[in-house]
Amino acid sequence: MLKIQEAIVVEGRYDKNTLSQVVDTLIIPTDGFGIFKDGEKARFLRRIARERGLIVLTDSDGAGFVIRNHLKGVIPREQLKQAYIPDIPGKERRKAKPGKEGKLGVEGMRPEVLEAALRRAGATILDEDEAAPLPRREITKADFFRDGLTGRSDSAARRERLKARLELPQRLTTNGLLEVLNMLYSYEDYEQVVVQMDDGTQPCASK
């Protein structure tokens, strides 16, 4: 599995499921054309792009290119990389019939095809980068439980407060929040911001 510095934007959750078997990084679905009206997600994508860089990996059909072009207008060019899958006729197993253009989408691509697309796009592959950071302490579900972000009657409210303080999308699931925290913050930063959340001081800066 490739460990990639940049986050990757895909169209939907099935694309995310397929890609998560190939790469170790934050994968963000646009929910199709939903991204056009979701200002909160657009702000979130700009933040991730600024912090780590962003790779767009959409389907090769017309809808995929509409979403891709929209993101070009939302994200600064120097923070955005474009990954393209080949035009391969077919349909995904879960579908009764092929899409409008009869092409396989990201979810139907073989792992080696996805890896090749990301390499061609210039993805920063940390496993192969001499300047890769040293292993660090990850934020875990056990930390969430310890800090009352799960397992308590007020855990949902605490997670909402944490997301608000860090200006993260309120729609993030618990697992999604964990992914984003590990991308933007060190464990030490996380510990600090939980304390700050409880005593009312200002949030820490992202790493």
Side-chain angles (χ1 to χ4, degrees), residues 21-59:
Q21 300 173 45
V22 179
V23 297
D24 176 11
T25 191
L26 179 64
I27 303 171
I28 308 168
T30 67
D31 299 320
F33 291 156
I35 186 65
F36 297 164
K37 298 181 180 180
D38 195 337
E40 183 181 52
K41 180 166 284 187
R43 289 190 295 274
F44 176 56
L45 289 175
R46 282 194 290 269
R47 178 177 178 182
I48 293 293
R50 185 173 63 250
E51 296 281 349
R52 302 292 293 270
L54 209 59
I55 298 174
V56 179
L57 181 61
T58 59
D59 294 350

Side-chain angles (χ1 to χ4, degrees), residues 2 4 8 19 22-23 55 57 82-86 88 109-123 125 128:
L2 299 177
I4 291 178
I8 303 175
L19 194 58
V22 179
V23 297
I55 298 174
L57 181 61
Q82 302 287 339
Y84 298 91
I85 58 172
I88 300 177
M109 291 291 131
R110 299 189 309 276
E112 59 268 26
V113 174
L114 293 172
E115 178 179 337
L118 292 169
R119 287 183 181 276
R120 285 195 300 271
I125 302 172
E128 301 171 358

Side-chain angles (χ1 to χ4, degrees), residues 90-104:
K91 72 174 185 67
E92 286 74 22
R93 292 181 181 179
R94 68 180 179 87
K95 295 181 179 178
K97 59 181 181 180
K100 184 177 180 181
E101 297 182 27
K103 301 174 183 178
L104 284 175

Side-chain angles (χ1 to χ4, degrees), residues 7 9-10 17 20 22 47 51 54 74 76 124 134 137-138 144 149-151 156 177 180 184 197 199 201-202:
V9 179
V10 296
N17 291 344
S20 65
V22 179
R47 178 177 178 182
E51 296 281 349
L54 209 59
V74 172
T124 306
L134 295 174
R137 164 74 152 83
E138 293 285 317
F144 271 19
L149 296 168
T150 58
L177 176 60
V180 171
L184 294 179
M197 183 177 69
D199 67 18
T201 55
Q202 293 299 311

